[in-house]
Amino acid sequence: MAKKLLVLCMAAIMAVAALVAGCGGDQKAASDNKVLKVGTNADFAPFEFQDENGKEYQGFDMDLIRAIGEEMGYKVEISNIQFDGLIPAIQAGNIDVAITGMTINEERKQNVLFSDPYYKSGLSIIVAKDNNDIKTFQDLKGKKVAVQIGTTSAAEVNKIGGVEVKEFNSSADTFMELRAKGVDAVVNDRPVNDYYILKSGETNVKALPELLTSEDYGIAFAKNNTELQGKVNEALKKLHENGKYDEIFTKWFGTTSK
Ligand code: GLN
């Protein structure tokens, strides 16, 4: 009798549990166990960086990928990986996507798939405030310039010719080198240079107005993962339609994307 009661009780509990799971409703509850493994190089403010305590991932890309994950019903797990290790990490299957202010270009397309473009960028120069020699990219010839390894900045500055290029692991390191007067200039993505000037309190440097290149950022996936690429593009489209993309854009850039 007691055994029968126990079985009955358990059946009742299971029925309630099933009901709750069902009611929890929408696709999000159904896919609670889906995890999106995201790689980023969290040294690229305002797109990705960690707060003072070094834990929480912040920035435009971080908010965007969390919103995309939510839209898709995936739990987002972020890992910090060196910039030039991100594409290899995708290829090795250690991460599902990389979001890291990564410019969509032909060379990278040989190795990964990209989402639809989500941000328009370009390259700019920062020099010391009292530097009057460097006004354009051509003026970098014969000068020492800091760039981040594996980036479009590194590629473009090397193309100019006659530049003494010093490569660093992160944009933060390039700024440090300029401050230490180890280089005459720094080339980085314009929004990253602008954010540095705005937030660092550094008053001895200036950003030059010339923009080299027009670049689109995309989220990267493994070559064969068209399924995830499709889901992310769909989520991105939704976020544009429902105003969430603009909300995130305004939070980080103070203006709307249009
Ligand atoms: N947009 C540049 C590139 O893709 C820099 C990206 C970065 O440093 N995170 O090369």
Side-chain angles (χ1 to χ4, degrees):
M1 178 67 189
K3 208 172 173 190
K4 221 174 182 180
L5 239 157
L6 192 74
V7 170
L8 258 168
C9 270
M10 283 191 36
I13 288 167
M14 273 158 75
V16 169
L19 212 78
V20 168
C23 288
D26 53 44
Q27 354 127 268
K28 281 165 198 166
S31 54
D32 263 347
N33 50 354
K34 286 196 202 157
V35 172
L36 188 66
K37 285 189 273 168
V38 175
T40 194
N41 177 225
D43 219 338
F44 201 62
F47 294 95
E48 38 269 330
F49 57 102
Q50 285 172 295
D51 65 13
E52 290 83 53
N53 309 320
K55 276 279 144 272
E56 179 87 13
Y57 291 103
Q58 296 194 41
F60 177 79
D61 285 350
M62 300 296 93
D63 286 350
L64 187 63
I65 199 67
R66 287 190 185 109
I68 287 171
E70 194 172 299
E71 195 59 54
M72 289 167 36
Y74 279 56
K75 188 168 166 263
V76 168
E77 266 178 28
I78 299 170
S79 353
N80 193 6
I81 297 171
Q82 200 169 300
F83 184 75
D84 61 354
L86 283 163
I87 289 180
I90 293 174
Q91 290 173 317
N94 296 335
I95 52 173
D96 302 314
V97 305
I99 183 164
T100 195
M102 189 182 281
T103 301
I104 301 171
N105 65 25
E106 287 311 314
E107 192 190 334
R108 291 176 182 152
K109 276 193 195 164
Q110 312 275 312
N111 299 311
V112 286
L113 294 177
F114 280 105
S115 69
D116 292 335
Y118 70 86
Y119 184 90
K120 227 176 213 348
S121 193
L123 307 178
S124 73
I125 304 173
I126 290 187
V127 293
K129 219 170 213 165
D130 58 6
N131 183 324
N132 294 313
D133 296 351
I134 301 173
K135 297 203 167 63
T136 68
F137 276 87
Q138 282 308 311
D139 298 335
L140 296 177
K141 278 183 196 287
K143 299 285 194 282
K144 282 189 202 149
V145 180
V147 295
Q148 188 187 343
I149 290 176
T151 59
T152 47
S153 294
E156 292 298 327
V157 172
N158 276 307
K159 266 192 223 161
I160 296 171
V163 181
E164 194 180 321
V165 184
K166 289 176 98 177
E167 306 203 356
F168 294 88
N169 276 334
S170 70
S171 58
D173 290 347
T174 66
F175 297 131
M176 236 153 70
E177 188 68 7
L178 182 66
R179 226 174 316 153
K181 300 198 189 325
V183 287
D184 304 295
V186 156
V187 174
N188 273 307
D189 293 23
R190 180 197 45 81
V192 172
N193 278 342
D194 290 351
Y195 194 82
Y196 169 70
I197 291 196
L198 190 72
K199 294 286 175 183
S200 67
E202 177 69 72
T203 50
N204 292 325
V205 296
K206 60 184 176 192
L208 302 181
E210 189 191 5
L211 257 192
L212 186 72
T213 72
S214 165
E215 306 183 10
D216 281 318
Y217 290 170
I219 300 165
F221 314 89
K223 262 288 201 191
N224 60 1
N225 208 347
T226 46
E227 192 189 334
L228 189 58
Q229 179 195 37
K231 281 185 186 167
V232 165
N233 278 340
E234 204 177 298
L236 198 54
K237 196 163 152 247
K238 278 253 181 66
L239 298 176
H240 275 290
E241 285 164 5
N242 68 15
K244 184 79 188 166
Y245 177 94
D246 276 344
E247 191 186 299
I248 298 171
F249 194 99
T250 307
K251 172 177 168 189
W252 292 103
F253 303 107
T255 55
T256 58
S257 57
K258 279 147 208 133

